Amino acid sequence: MTTITDLYPTRGASEVAVPRQDPVVWSAPGHPGPIAAADLESYERDGFLPVEQLITPDEVAVYRAELERLITDPAVRADERSIVEPKSQEIRSVFEVHRISEVFAGLVRDERVVGRARQILGSDVYVHQSRINVKPGFGASGFYWHSDFETWHAEDGLPNMRTVSVSIALTENFATNGGLMIMPGSHRTFLGCAGATPTDNYKKSLQMQDAGTPSDEALTKFADRHGIRLFTGPAGSATWFDCNCMHGSGDNITPYPRSNVFIVFNSVENAAVEPFAAPVPRPTFIGARDFTPVK
């Protein structure tokens, strides 16, 4: 049995910051794709790339209607892939949405979407995770600061930082309704968090992050060094970001909902192995174990 070296130790006795060991952009210079060379350089530097209009207003209407259909379907609500707000009991997220809905499956296969992922990761890709995030007004809770890769490495077994996410706005993202915040350049440092992973940690972490949460001291250092960028934009805009970006979002106490579709693409050459810092892998609707390339 081949032993895979753990390049990014985490969930130990203490918090440890280590330099990134992997490329940010994996394709060779000049590799064809939808992203212009200058934008690819910006992504490599900052760890993210905003796209002003990834999908058209007509397409937004189609995806919004499908989102509403899903969150009002009693069968979807009863499914374990749906996560509800602890206080309001409204649906917060629906996972594996590309398998539940053919409409969202079509979005995953769209060349404007998967083509960018292939270009960044330099290979065929599969969907490690997909979900719709619904942040209704008047009290939807945020997502605390974290690196996705820390969790995907520790609990899903992704060996390397060869994974990219896209958040596509289905409602306007204002500066006030709980938008995505990223620390530019934070993707260059891996922060291994302190504390062991509890059994079935995903059941709690999908509502409120605990294990894998950076310390206040580390977050302050990161913010002082990198600053914080808040992403706003109309429905149809999108933000691509590296798996190791330190990011989070605040509560939405405005009357205006913030709904996004979120797709995580992983390289087929970075398929998940056994978790690096958890007793067992998370359920497959959160961290896929089917590595079939998107076609």
Side-chain angles (χ1 to χ4, degrees):
M1 183 175 177
T2 304
T3 301
I4 296 177
T5 302
D6 184 358
L7 297 175
Y8 303 106
T10 189
R11 312 282 173 100
S14 60
E15 191 174 58
V16 181
V18 298
R20 183 189 185 107
Q21 305 294 305
D22 294 307
V24 178
V25 174
W26 288 74
S27 60
H31 185 87
I35 307 174
D39 288 338
L40 210 54
E41 289 174 7
S42 174
Y43 175 86
E44 186 167 28
R45 180 190 69 238
D46 297 332
F48 55 78
L49 178 65
V51 177
E52 190 172 336
Q53 186 185 72
L54 185 67
I55 57 176
T56 67
D58 287 346
E59 290 170 317
V60 167
V62 171
Y63 296 122
R64 282 272 299 273
E66 180 68 353
L67 180 148
E68 290 298 325
R69 183 188 73 80
L70 291 171
I71 66 174
T72 55
D73 184 337
V76 172
R77 183 183 179 85
D79 194 292
E80 66 173 344
R81 291 172 287 190
S82 292
I83 311 301
V84 299
E85 285 282 348
K87 292 182 181 178
S88 69
Q89 292 298 298
E90 291 189 76
I91 286 184
R92 173 193 181 110
S93 302
V94 179
F95 280 81
E96 216 172 38
V97 72
H98 71 295
R99 295 192 183 278
I100 293 175
S101 162
E102 185 53 42
V103 173
F104 284 112
L107 179 62
V108 165
R109 295 189 297 265
D110 191 309
E111 188 60 25
R112 293 169 295 179
V113 177
V114 70
R116 282 178 166 86
R118 293 192 191 107
Q119 188 178 2
I120 290 169
L121 301 180
S123 68
D124 278 336
V125 298
Y126 70 93
V127 177
H128 177 69
Q129 184 187 105
S130 73
R131 66 180 187 262
I132 46 175
N133 286 335
V134 186
K135 241 185 187 181
F138 300 118
S141 53
F143 292 86
Y144 197 68
W145 291 105
H146 65 285
S147 154
D148 286 330
F149 180 74
E150 192 279 337
T151 297
W152 299 338
H153 182 69
E155 301 186 38
D156 298 340
L158 296 193
N160 296 96
M161 295 179 183
R162 200 170 180 179
T163 315
V164 64
S165 301
V166 60
S167 177
I168 305 171
L170 300 182
T171 56
E172 181 145 7
N173 283 216
F174 299 104
T176 51
N177 66 342
L180 174 68
M181 295 181 288
I182 295 179
M183 298 184 187
S186 59
H187 63 305
R188 295 286 186 180
T189 304
F190 176 76
L191 188 64
C193 297
T197 307
T199 302
D200 288 342
N201 179 55
Y202 77 93
K203 293 180 180 178
K204 181 179 180 182
S205 68
L206 294 180
Q207 293 182 329
M208 184 173 292
Q209 189 86 1
D210 187 9
T213 301
S215 68
D216 291 353
E217 293 78 12
L219 288 171
T220 300
K221 289 179 181 177
F222 267 58
D224 287 346
R225 184 186 312 145
H226 301 293
I228 297 172
R229 168 81 180 269
L230 170 66
F231 292 88
T232 60
S237 62
T239 305
W240 291 85
F241 59 103
D242 179 82
C243 59
N244 192 46
C245 284
M246 191 64 69
H247 67 287
S249 64
D251 296 349
N252 182 14
I253 61 171
T254 75
Y256 310 112
R258 175 181 172 266
S259 297
N260 294 50
V261 55
F262 183 80
I263 307 163
V264 180
F265 293 100
N266 189 38
S267 169
V268 295
E269 298 172 14
N270 189 45
V273 294
E274 288 304 303
F276 287 86
V280 294
R282 296 189 299 174
T284 56
F285 69 85
I286 303 171
R289 315 301 283 192
D290 177 353
F291 313 130
T292 305
V294 176
K295 296 295 184 184

